[in-house]
Structures are given as C-alpha cells and as structure tokens.
Amino acid sequence: MEFNIAVEPASTWFADAVIFFAFKDSEEFLPGFSRWMATEADWVAGSSGLQDFTGELGSTTVIYGSSTSIPRVVLLGLGDKSEFGVEPFSQAVSSVFCKCRELKFRVVGVPLTAFEGIVLEDMHEHFVVAAMDGLYAYDEFKSKKEKNGTLPESVKLLTEVEPLETFVETIHKGQAIGAAVSYARDLVNSPPNIANPVFLAEEAKKLAKKYDFKFKALKRKDIIDKGMGAYASVFKGSVDEPRLITLEYCPKGREGDKPLVLIGKGVTFDTGGISLKPTGHIEDMKCDMAGAAAILGFFKALGELNPDLPVVGILPCADNMPDGLATRPGEVVTSFSGKTIEVLNTDAEGRLLLCDALAYSEQFEPAAIIDLATLTGGCIVAFGWSVAAVMDNSPKLEDLIIESGMRVGERFWPMPLWDIYKEELKSDVADLKNVGSREGMTIHAGMFLKEFVPENVPWAHLDIAGPAWRKKKTATLTAGGTGFGVRTLIELLSQIDLEDI
C-alpha cells in the first residue's frame, strides 16, 4: 500500500471513499468534516446514515452518495474523547482500513482537514503505522492468496495547500516504521524450518548490503573457540547451525563515538531441550526469536531514517533441541566472561545466549545496552499479554524506555533488581545457577543477566514474552508475531542522550 500526498482543490478530489473521524457523543462533528460537508458534500449532511453513527471506538459508518469522484464517506469512531490517546487512535485506524479492504476499496482518501480537532503528538505518523499494521497478513505459504489481500492499493492524503516539508518527512517516517514492524512480524511468523539461525543471518546480511551496515556472523566453531560456553550449551543438541550476528550502523562524523548496543534473543525454536516443554502451544515457540526479529526490524527502519546515533545490534541465534548431545540438567558450563554456570533447567536457555552476548558487547565500548527477549512465562503471569517488563541498572534509561513506549503505544513496567534476589542464583558447584525458584522467576532471570553486563555501562533488560506474540486474532489484527519493541526503539533514538544516562 502506497501513501501519496495529493495537493488539489477539494472539488477535484477523487477516491473510492474518504475517511473522516469523530468522537463519541460529541455534540458537533470535527471542524474539518463539518466544513467539507458544507462546501463540497451537502449530500452527506442529508444522509440518514449520518444518524446511525455512534462514534464508538473503531465503529464505522459508510455513507453512500451520488458523486462519481467520491461515492462514499467512511466515518470512523474514536471513542470517548476523555480516554483518547495513541492506543485507541491506532486501534481505530487499523479497524477502518480492515473495513476498507472488506469493501474492496482500491483508493482511499484521507483529507488532512479530517485531523483537525484531534490532539495527539505525532498523529500522522501513528496513522500511517496503524493503517499498515491493520492490513498486515502473513500468507507466504498459502497456495491460494487472499483475493483482496493487496487492497487498498493506495492512500491519498488530500490537501488543498502544499504541506510543510516536515509533514512529508513524517509520512516517510511512518511508512519506514510500518514496514519495519511488518518485517519483524514476518520473521516471527515464519515457520522454524525456514527461519533458522542461518536464515536470520542471511536477512541481516541483506540489510547490511542494502543500507551499508557492517555485518558479521560467527559460526558454531567460532562461538565455541571464543569460549562462549553458555551460548554453546544451548545449540549442542541442534542440527541447525547457530549464528552470532552483529550489525553496526554509524552516521558520518560519529566514528569513534560509543554506540547504543541492542541485543536480541534469537532462539528460533525452543523445545526446552532436555527440560522438555509440556505439550500445548509448543508450536508457538517459533516466536522465541522475537527479540532478534525486533532488532532486525529496527535496523530496517534505521537504514531508511538515518538518525545521528551509532548503534550496534548483537543477535545470538540458535535452536534449543533435545538429542544425545544436548546439554543435560546439572552440567556446568563456562561463560565468555569466565564465570561458571550450573545449568539446572535447559528451558531457561535464553539467558545463556544473552549472558555471553552481554559480555561480548564490551568490545564495542557501549554507551548503553538494551536487550530484548521473550525470556520468561512468569512475565506473562505478572503482566498479561500486553505489557513488557523492564529491569535495569539505570533509572534514566528505564524512564526513557517507559516514556518512549507510551508515546508509541507499547507498554513497559519496571521490576526490581534488588540484591536480596541474588541468593536465589547461588550454586553449590559453580559461580551461578541459571534458575532460581518459581516465585520471582522473571526477576531472577534479570538478576542473572545483570551479572554479565560490562562494568559501569547503563543497561536495561526488556522481557517481551507477552506482547511479542498475539495468541488470537482480533477484529483488526492477526494472530502471531506483533513486532513489539520496534517502535519503542525507534522512538528512543529521538529521546536518548547517550552522554547523559
């Protein structure tokens, strides 16, 4: 779907339908809609369909007329004005574009005057991203594609006045972010026999070639030879080759500056290893690389937006499978940092990849580190499916992540990393054990990772186990990968000062 800005007199606007917005129980329509009806479409004001409109969040009313240039008007409900924000706005926009696809519209018009009276920061960016998100579908392996799956073909942003250059940039940014989120969703939704570690490395290599990033991928022997025993313990039982992927982005003039380092868990399928997961939804464990997918999506947007901030991505990727060579519960491994780990549960494998990646990141002299991982089921128990946990050693970084997430409709909430939790990780035979008790499991995972963060480096761990995956299809959004985290990371770039964390 393309977004085009059309600068034309209102009398010449053309589209299969135009979209206008309205709040619930509002005594008056938004000014842009009222003005357009009065000057260009008096037939809308006289329509009985106008009385059917409730303004409930996501509700739509289609008003049909006799005009050949604009034969339909779609009114979209934004819900209660007192509860309005980026999340309800995005939900509403996603729903109306689903409706446009259902009605087989090829060209959808959205007058810029339709946004008058809506107070929301970065509104046009959110509009573009939500429209793309609502129309997302994954049908790569369907022999019969959805008949109307490519509709709408274009969105015309209609205006009578030449827009500011900043508006054009906003639309471009929205498209870049929307494409990045869709890309991350595609990666998560891909079946594990396709999206294995080598596949992810190839995807990273393509991004590097297209956007001139530095790329490197360490193979099985490289990982073992470097002494990453914790990481290697995860892929010992898998026939799929692991890859430790690095991507480096550095704008001109920032060479030598300390980068923001992003680390993404890339377990392309998690059986639990010898500590085999119980049956029931184990097929969903292809989503255990959603952290790595989010970072690849982020780098795709990075290449389009070119922010003035150096960034390094580190993606430790592997399968966690049981076979005769797989790590057994009770084994002791030596991590890249030199610390020894008693592996009591092979299903707590994500922290074993991440701990070596965290220690490995020191060579990049990071200004700050953020890791993303679908790490613990305990996070879902604590927060449900819509909220991610943040644990960190930097209050400033924590605040930036939470605030950036709220600005784009992704929710994070802090959990403590107090020293009282260290006791749970003490081992009788090694420096650490990889699990504590069931109670507080999400915090224990964060405490474990904290032990491997380079000294004096601000760090935050994001447990995205819940919001990275949508178990059920909703009225507006498909089930599967969500691309959660991509938007927060992009927003963070515009907010963060790496010298003041």
Side-chain angles (χ1 to χ4, degrees), residues 358-394:
L358 283 165
Y360 181 71
S361 73
E362 188 171 17
Q363 68 177 292
F364 296 100
E365 300 183 15
I369 302 170
I370 300 172
D371 74 73
L372 292 84
T374 48
L375 208 62
T376 65
C379 192
I380 302 171
V381 173
F383 292 148
W385 292 97
S386 300
V387 180
V390 55
M391 287 159 271
D392 59 86
N393 64 6
S394 168

Side-chain angles (χ1 to χ4, degrees), residues 254-423:
R254 299 297 299 270
E255 297 86 357
D257 288 2
K258 292 184 176 182
L260 171 65
V261 172
L262 304 175
I263 301 175
K265 175 185 172 183
V267 177
T268 53
F269 194 78
D270 181 20
T271 65
I274 297 297
S275 304
L276 193 67
K277 289 180 181 291
T279 56
H281 302 293
I282 195 171
E283 67 276 8
D284 292 349
M285 286 300 100
K286 66 180 183 178
C287 82
D288 216 16
M289 39 67 78
I295 292 175
L296 287 174
F298 167 82
F299 267 86
K300 180 176 176 64
L302 204 64
E304 295 291 336
L305 302 176
N306 299 306
D308 187 31
L309 192 76
V311 185
V312 173
I314 303 176
L315 313 178
C317 301
D319 257 3
N320 184 23
M321 299 289 287
D323 83 346
L325 296 176
T327 298
R328 296 159 294 190
E331 290 191 19
V332 174
V333 298
T334 302
S335 69
F336 183 72
S337 71
K339 293 179 181 179
T340 56
I341 302 164
E342 183 184 13
V343 181
L344 293 181
N345 186 333
T346 63
D347 194 23
E349 85 299 330
R351 66 201 70 180
L352 296 174
L353 282 79
L354 291 172
C355 75
D356 276 349
L358 283 165
Y360 181 71
S361 73
E362 188 171 17
Q363 68 177 292
F364 296 100
E365 300 183 15
I369 302 170
I370 300 172
D371 74 73
L372 292 84
T374 48
L375 208 62
T376 65
C379 192
I380 302 171
V381 173
F383 292 148
W385 292 97
S386 300
V387 180
V390 55
M391 287 159 271
D392 59 86
N393 64 6
S394 168
K396 285 187 178 180
L397 185 56
E398 175 188 294
D399 289 344
L400 280 170
I401 290 168
I402 293 172
E403 290 166 8
S404 296
M406 291 300 290
R407 288 166 67 94
V408 298
E410 295 185 337
R411 294 176 183 260
F412 296 85
W413 198 251
M415 282 186 165
L417 290 182
W418 297 325
D419 285 347
I420 58 173
Y421 292 103
K422 276 187 177 181
E423 195 68 28

Side-chain angles (χ1 to χ4, degrees), residues 186-205:
D186 281 348
L187 293 174
V188 176
N189 288 330
S190 297
N193 58 318
I194 301 296
N196 57 28
V198 174
F199 174 87
L200 294 183
E202 287 301 314
E203 288 297 306
K205 189 175 182 179

Side-chain angles (χ1 to χ4, degrees), residues 232-252:
S233 72
V234 178
F235 58 71
K236 280 174 62 180
S238 176
V239 295
D240 279 333
E241 285 295 310
R243 289 292 185 271
L244 177 60
I245 303 162
T246 55
L247 286 170
E248 297 180 59
Y249 163 81
C250 185
K252 289 182 179 179

Side-chain angles (χ1 to χ4, degrees), residues 15-36:
D16 293 326
V18 292
I19 295 172
F20 282 95
F21 311 101
F23 287 102
K24 178 184 176 184
D25 299 329
S26 178
E27 294 181 3
E28 297 180 354
F29 285 108
L30 291 170
F33 180 48
S34 297
R35 191 167 60 252
W36 181 74

Side-chain angles (χ1 to χ4, degrees), residues 400-454:
L400 280 170
I401 290 168
I402 293 172
E403 290 166 8
S404 296
M406 291 300 290
R407 288 166 67 94
V408 298
E410 295 185 337
R411 294 176 183 260
F412 296 85
W413 198 251
M415 282 186 165
L417 290 182
W418 297 325
D419 285 347
I420 58 173
Y421 292 103
K422 276 187 177 181
E423 195 68 28
E424 287 280 350
L425 298 176
K426 288 183 178 179
S427 167
D428 293 333
V429 299
D431 296 327
L432 295 163
K433 54 185 181 181
N434 77 323
V435 290
S437 63
R438 180 176 176 82
E439 296 79 15
M441 66 167 69
T442 298
I443 297 173
H444 300 153
M447 285 299 298
F448 179 88
L449 293 178
K450 187 180 178 182
E451 292 292 315
F452 300 88
V453 176

Side-chain angles (χ1 to χ4, degrees), residues 53-72:
F53 182 68
T54 65
E56 293 283 353
L57 181 62
S59 63
T60 55
T61 293
V62 183
I63 299 171
Y64 295 85
S66 56
S67 171
T68 55
S69 57
I70 298 178
R72 308 169 190 84

